[in-house]
Amino acid sequence: MTSPAALLAALLLACSSGEPVLPGVPDERLLSASPPAERTEDAEAPTRDGRSANPDLYRKAANVWVDVNHLAGKQWSDVRGQAAEQLGPIAESVELPGDNGTELRFARGAVRVVEDRVYMMRVPLPEPMRRGPALEAIGMPPFTGGYMVMHREYRLNNERGFRRIRMRRLGPDSELVTEIESWRWIPGEHGNRR
């Protein structure tokens, strides 16, 4: 049987060696007082969801078709360039009736803007997809809960900061989705802007 003093001595010897105690743990101290000097590459590297660690620097993730999750709800003047990169050239601008603002139709989708804020985006998908991959294609995590099943669409209400997400189905009996329409809020609805 090993004595407590022998265990303590073995522990101290193991911790004093130059090798890491746990495989995969870096040699430098994890809780150092000063940050590493050269982190220019890491400061701009995107996180797992494709967004940059620096909030002022945005990069769309490679697996995202159009990042609706990032663009919707933002000031149009701030994201106009990012939207044009993702949606292609603008084809048409239509003034909507009432206080519903303007719909900007692009080559790969449409954006509705009121008071310089994006409140709705409609994006046709590059190919028919199942619901989970379709949500990932617009920058959202796949949804695992329940959907409202309509004749030609799946619908989510009050999910992920959006008032309504409509996924148009390929056909009434198909589980494949061809287009997603995401409403951050609905103009004129009570308590619609948070």
Side-chain angles (χ1 to χ4, degrees):
M1 193 154 169
T2 310
S3 71
L7 284 174
L8 182 60
L11 181 62
L12 288 174
L13 285 174
C15 290
S16 66
S17 69
E19 294 295 315
V21 177
L22 298 172
V25 176
D27 290 337
E28 63 265 358
R29 292 188 175 270
L30 294 176
L31 299 174
S32 63
S34 61
E38 295 185 33
R39 294 204 32 131
T40 55
E41 293 175 16
D42 292 341
E44 295 180 7
T47 58
R48 276 183 55 173
D49 65 355
R51 288 164 179 72
S52 172
N54 179 353
D56 297 331
L57 184 64
Y58 165 77
R59 287 191 190 162
K60 180 176 72 79
N63 65 333
V64 174
W65 174 247
V66 175
D67 199 347
V68 172
N69 196 33
H70 169 72
L71 298 171
K74 298 272 176 50
Q75 294 283 337
W76 176 245
S77 55
D78 293 342
V79 297
R80 176 180 297 176
Q82 296 167 5
E85 287 175 14
Q86 297 180 40
L87 294 169
I90 190 164
E92 183 178 18
S93 175
V94 177
E95 289 297 320
L96 300 171
D99 294 332
N100 293 320
T102 305
E103 181 170 294
L104 304 166
R105 296 176 184 156
F106 293 83
R108 290 190 304 261
V111 174
R112 288 190 181 178
V113 179
V114 67
E115 298 175 8
D116 194 42
R117 192 165 296 277
V118 177
Y119 71 89
M120 189 280 295
M121 293 185 72
R122 184 175 46 253
V123 178
L125 298 170
E127 62 187 23
M129 305 178 177
R130 295 185 70 78
R131 293 172 293 215
L135 286 172
E136 288 178 317
I138 64 166
M140 294 187 186
F143 185 72
T144 57
Y147 294 85
M148 291 176 61
V149 180
M150 309 297 212
H151 177 67
R152 298 285 293 208
E153 71 183 43
Y154 295 111
R155 186 179 295 173
L156 296 170
N157 289 326
N158 302 312
E159 289 290 333
R160 293 181 175 77
F162 285 82
R163 172 61 182 93
R164 179 173 297 143
I165 299 172
R166 298 172 67 187
M167 293 174 272
R168 300 204 202 279
R169 297 163 60 184
L170 184 62
D173 297 326
S174 177
E175 290 190 11
L176 298 178
V177 175
T178 59
E179 179 181 87
I180 298 183
E181 187 176 278
S182 304
W183 296 74
R184 191 58 95 161
W185 73 86
I186 298 172
E189 193 173 66
H190 177 70
N192 57 7
R193 294 177 78 178
R194 296 176 187 171

